[in-house]
Amino acid sequence: MTSDEARARLEGLGFDPHASSTLLVHFEDADARGKPGHGLSRVEWLESLELDPSARPVLLESDEGFARWDGNGSLGYLVLAEIVRATLADPPARARVVVARRCFPTGVLGYWARALAEGGLVAALTATSPKRLPHPDGGPPLTGTNPLAIAVPSSDGRPLVADVSMGAVTHGDVLSGRALPEELVAFGGDQAHKAFALAAGLELLVTALAGPEPGAVLVVARPEHDPVPALRELAAGRRLPGDS
């Protein structure tokens, strides 16, 4: 699918040009970074959902250290786009926790965390999804893949962005035919209990703050140190998380 075809299909779903552009840029970035399961192939999946293209996220409460949003029927991508925009427009003096309820699908979390880091903020972002990961010992799915993205700005203009899903493959890989449904388990093989523990912890963290429907939690802060250049020097040219 080309970008022009994707835009036409998104607008055909009823998304206005601004929302279509927001979605399209996200999908293009995912493809460019080698994450095709989150790229333009997602447009076809969106066409299979019941959507309200006119829905907009709502800011329910906000103060210096805390903000709460409701997705209000809007796609999670658009909810996080608005949260990032609002946070960069009014960054915290020190730190802020942002909770978004009814926020799904959220796409590549590293994309949103990177935007905050490029704006000079340290960010940690996690989000839940429908339950897809079973316990390593078997049984029904108990948690979502529940990715975690951490982004740290750098004085060299190259933030470090670590973005890890707790699944051995992503749901996007399954949707795009790059993986089988039975491969969607906690990563780590005989050490999968570690990834499952993270998935369960993140599941309950987000649920405790955002409620039972898929949601997102962001912690954002102003950095007081600049550790990324020193790590790059130690890495001696080796690729670090989030590098192109």
Side-chain angles (χ1 to χ4, degrees):
M1 183 185 306
T2 67
S3 293
D4 287 343
E5 291 171 339
R7 180 182 293 278
R9 290 169 72 165
L10 289 169
E11 292 184 355
L13 287 171
F15 291 103
D16 64 33
H18 176 72
S20 295
S21 293
T22 299
L23 295 169
L24 186 61
V25 171
H26 183 90
F27 298 149
E28 290 174 334
D29 187 80
D31 280 329
R33 294 183 184 278
K35 299 184 177 184
H38 285 291
L40 293 173
S41 64
R42 281 283 175 153
V43 174
E44 183 175 358
W45 177 67
L46 290 179
E47 291 173 330
S48 72
L49 305 179
E50 292 186 11
L51 303 173
D52 180 1
S54 65
R56 296 292 182 269
V58 177
L59 178 60
L60 300 175
E61 58 179 298
S62 178
D63 60 34
E64 174 57 30
F66 182 80
R68 184 183 301 278
W69 293 74
D70 181 11
N72 192 39
S74 182
L75 280 177
Y77 305 100
L78 303 178
V79 179
L80 288 185
E82 182 61 18
I83 288 173
V84 168
R85 184 206 63 76
T87 301
L88 291 174
D90 181 24
R94 296 295 297 274
R96 182 179 300 148
V97 174
V98 183
V99 174
R101 72 185 192 192
R102 299 196 297 170
C103 181
F104 178 81
T106 47
V108 180
L109 295 191
Y111 175 87
W112 311 111
R114 181 186 302 277
L116 291 163
E118 289 175 343
L121 299 172
V122 175
L125 173 63
T126 188
T128 51
S129 61
K131 291 177 172 54
R132 296 190 175 106
L133 294 186
H135 191 282
D137 292 340
L142 298 179
T143 79
T145 52
N146 303 349
L148 174 64
I150 299 172
V152 182
S154 175
S155 58
D156 66 7
R158 301 167 62 199
L160 184 141
V161 182
D163 182 5
V164 180
S165 165
M166 304 310 148
V169 299
T170 69
H171 183 56
D173 292 329
V174 175
L175 290 174
S176 62
R178 292 176 175 82
L180 298 174
E182 55 267 29
E183 295 179 286
L184 188 50
V185 296
F187 72 81
D190 60 2
Q191 297 293 309
H193 60 279
K194 296 180 181 180
F196 180 78
L198 280 171
L202 293 170
E203 180 92 17
L204 297 182
L205 168 70
V206 175
T207 302
L209 296 175
E213 297 183 61
V217 173
L218 166 69
V219 178
V220 65
R222 292 184 183 271
E224 297 187 5
H225 303 278
D226 183 28
V228 176
L231 181 60
R232 290 200 182 280
E233 184 176 356
L234 285 173
R238 296 175 179 86
R239 182 184 181 275
L240 292 179
D243 289 351
S244 299

